[in-house]
Amino acid sequence: MDEFDTYDAVVIGGGPAGATAAHELAKAGRSVLLLDREGRIKPCGGAIPPRLIRDFEIPDSLLVARIRCARMVAPSDAKVDIPIEGGFVGMVDRGPFDEWLRERAAMAGAVRARGSFEAIERGADGVAVVRYSARDRLGEGGMPVRVRARLVIGADGARSEVARQEVPRSDEGSFVFAYHEIVRAPQAGADYEATRCDVVYNGQFSPDFYGWVFPHGETASIGTGSADKGFSLRSATAALRDASGLAGCETLRREGAPIPLKPLPRWENGRDVLLAGDAAGVVAPASGEGIYYAMYGGRIAAEVGQLFLSTGDARVLQQARKRFMKAHGKVFFVLGIMQRFWYSSDKRRERFVSICRDRDVQQLTFEAYMNKELVRRKPMAHVRIFFKDVAHLLGLARV
């Protein structure tokens, strides 16, 4: 086994979670290998809140748009514009954004490798041996490589192969299948604004999630998602483009992938493997937001991994999930209930958009989104929202 390179940590997957974990561990002085397939961009709206920009020191140069309004569109085509007061939501293109995160990890000392993960084996001493198929920048090669790792962080996305091989109960996740088309942004003639995100709640475009039109500067992301495997995402996206006046825009690329909407019940194997990001299932229900939670989870994975590497106590790996759920589990629970109820029929979607007209709902929702914390300093606003929600649930409020 001595001829294999040995690392404190091998991070599998170079998206926001993996790149962040690799950066934090390398910055702490650990030897890190960051393995990524590259060349594949995840379908993603690309929204990042101010909390992420601040906490992870994201430069302005990576922002391709600044969103100052969110438009909610009901099945009846009723529209509710929600201004983002006192700030903005940043938009990034995942290709350049993810590469910048990987390069930052390399600048901190992480070794980058291009290739596809295959398996985790065990040496005679019990240390993990990560086997992968190496590839060059052109995607050619396929040479088998083995490296030793005291810790393996699986950040290889939804349907994680690391999770499947190593982590018990990894088959208990739930998913939305997302698809979007990147188009050249329209210059005129469409109801489109470069500073506004449109979120479309309509069973025609998704029976259980939503459709979106998100500006990306010179381009725009138009897409939808659904857990219904029989629902045609491509046809729904074509219909959404037509309804939004964007059918004639040049299509630059198409992307699709499953997106998890439920944190896995376990993130570690009790030995030397820890999950992060989509591999752990940390995408917010209802909204589908994942970049912030991936990077937050990647940082926690690095902190817990550092403790594991220092102590050798595998029990500390359990802290990653506990810490994440303590910070965000309540929000995920509430959003999950909201998605299951409000997204279940067009009648309920209509009422949901109607609720979004309420000033209290708008303020508390965006404060929570922007800062990633439940807003507790306005108790009367919460009380008012509770009674308004009850009125809508009972059909006593006007749509």
Side-chain angles (χ1 to χ4, degrees):
M1 302 297 294
D2 291 341
E3 73 271 17
F4 298 161
D5 289 335
T6 300
Y7 295 89
D8 290 326
V10 171
V11 181
I12 300 169
T20 300
H23 173 254
E24 298 291 327
L25 282 167
K27 191 170 65 171
R30 296 294 181 177
S31 60
V32 181
L33 177 72
L34 175 59
L35 174 65
D36 189 63
R37 288 184 297 174
E38 294 190 4
R40 180 181 180 278
I41 303 173
K42 175 187 174 182
C44 176
I48 59 173
R51 176 72 181 270
L52 184 154
I53 297 171
R54 181 175 66 250
D55 286 1
F56 295 96
E57 300 177 333
I58 303 302
D60 286 347
S61 60
L62 286 175
L63 303 182
V64 295
R66 289 170 169 79
I67 301 303
R68 302 187 184 278
C69 176
R71 169 170 286 183
M72 323 293 277
V73 184
S76 66
D77 204 39
K79 299 176 176 66
V80 176
D81 285 355
I82 305 176
I84 302 172
E85 298 177 351
F88 63 88
V89 173
M91 304 298 291
V92 297
D93 281 338
R94 286 293 301 273
F97 180 74
D98 289 11
E99 176 59 19
W100 184 86
L101 293 175
R102 291 190 288 267
E103 271 302 300
R104 180 163 69 171
M107 292 292 291
V111 176
R112 292 185 62 177
R114 297 173 180 85
S116 300
F117 167 75
E118 293 182 350
I120 295 175
E121 303 167 346
R122 301 285 169 184
D125 57 1
V127 175
V129 178
V130 176
R131 188 179 81 235
Y132 67 93
S133 178
R135 299 190 180 279
D136 60 22
R137 287 187 175 274
L138 298 177
E140 299 177 352
M143 180 180 66
V145 178
R146 288 177 171 82
V147 294
R148 285 161 57 88
R150 296 174 59 199
L151 170 68
V152 178
I153 295 180
D156 51 335
R159 304 283 175 81
S160 162
E161 183 62 20
V162 175
R164 189 191 69 80
Q165 292 185 23
E166 290 287 327
V167 178
R169 303 179 65 189
S170 62
D171 59 346
E172 296 182 18
S174 60
F175 302 88
V176 160
F177 297 86
Y179 170 81
H180 76 163
E181 298 178 356
I182 300 297
V183 305
R184 202 170 300 283
Q187 300 301 310
D191 185 12
Y192 173 89
E193 293 182 15
T195 60
R196 187 190 75 214
C197 280
D198 291 0
V199 185
V200 185
Y201 299 98
N202 188 318
Q204 177 187 2
F205 307 126
S206 173
D208 51 5
F209 202 56
Y210 62 81
W212 67 84
V213 179
F214 288 174
H216 281 194
E218 296 180 354
T219 64
S221 164
I222 308 169
T224 186
S226 176
D228 183 348
K229 294 182 180 180
F231 184 76
S232 174
L233 298 177
R234 282 182 177 248
S235 297
T237 299
L240 179 58
R241 288 182 63 169
D242 186 59
S244 304
L246 304 176
C249 294
E250 179 188 0
T251 303
L252 303 177
R253 67 177 191 266
R254 298 177 173 88
E255 297 154 353
I259 296 177
L261 290 181
K262 178 183 176 183
L264 291 180
R266 186 167 172 176
W267 294 3
E268 39 69 43
N269 69 346
R271 185 172 185 174
D272 53 9
V273 173
L274 181 61
L275 304 178
D278 281 12
V282 292
V283 175
S287 69
E289 181 193 2
I291 300 177
Y292 171 79
Y293 296 112
M295 295 182 70
Y296 180 86
R299 175 168 284 175
I300 287 180
E303 293 171 354
V304 171
Q306 174 79 331
L307 182 60
F308 165 73
L309 292 169
S310 298
T311 64
D313 184 355
R315 292 173 298 180
V316 304
L317 297 176
Q318 299 175 19
Q319 293 183 17
R321 189 181 191 280
K322 291 178 180 178
R323 287 176 55 184
F324 185 97
M325 297 305 290
K326 181 178 180 180
H328 301 293
K330 189 176 296 184
V331 170
F332 275 46
F333 176 74
V334 171
L335 290 176
I337 292 175
M338 188 180 85
Q339 178 177 334
R340 287 191 296 274
F341 183 83
W342 290 115
Y343 295 8
S344 61
S345 70
D346 274 353
K347 181 178 180 180
R348 290 181 176 179
R349 293 184 190 101
E350 196 75 38
R351 289 193 174 277
F352 173 68
V353 174
S354 180
I355 291 174
C356 293
R357 297 181 187 278
D358 187 89
R359 188 67 176 161
D360 291 325
V361 172
Q362 293 181 11
Q363 289 182 334
L364 293 183
T365 298
F366 269 101
E367 284 187 42
Y369 171 79
M370 302 282 266
N371 298 303
K372 289 293 170 280
E373 294 176 351
L374 291 176
V375 182
R376 296 183 175 87
R377 66 176 182 271
K378 298 180 179 179
M380 288 310 298
H382 285 282
V383 171
R384 289 195 297 270
I385 290 172
F386 171 77
F387 284 111
K388 292 168 186 174
D389 282 349
V390 170
H392 277 275
L393 289 170
L394 297 177
L396 301 177
R398 292 184 178 180
V399 177

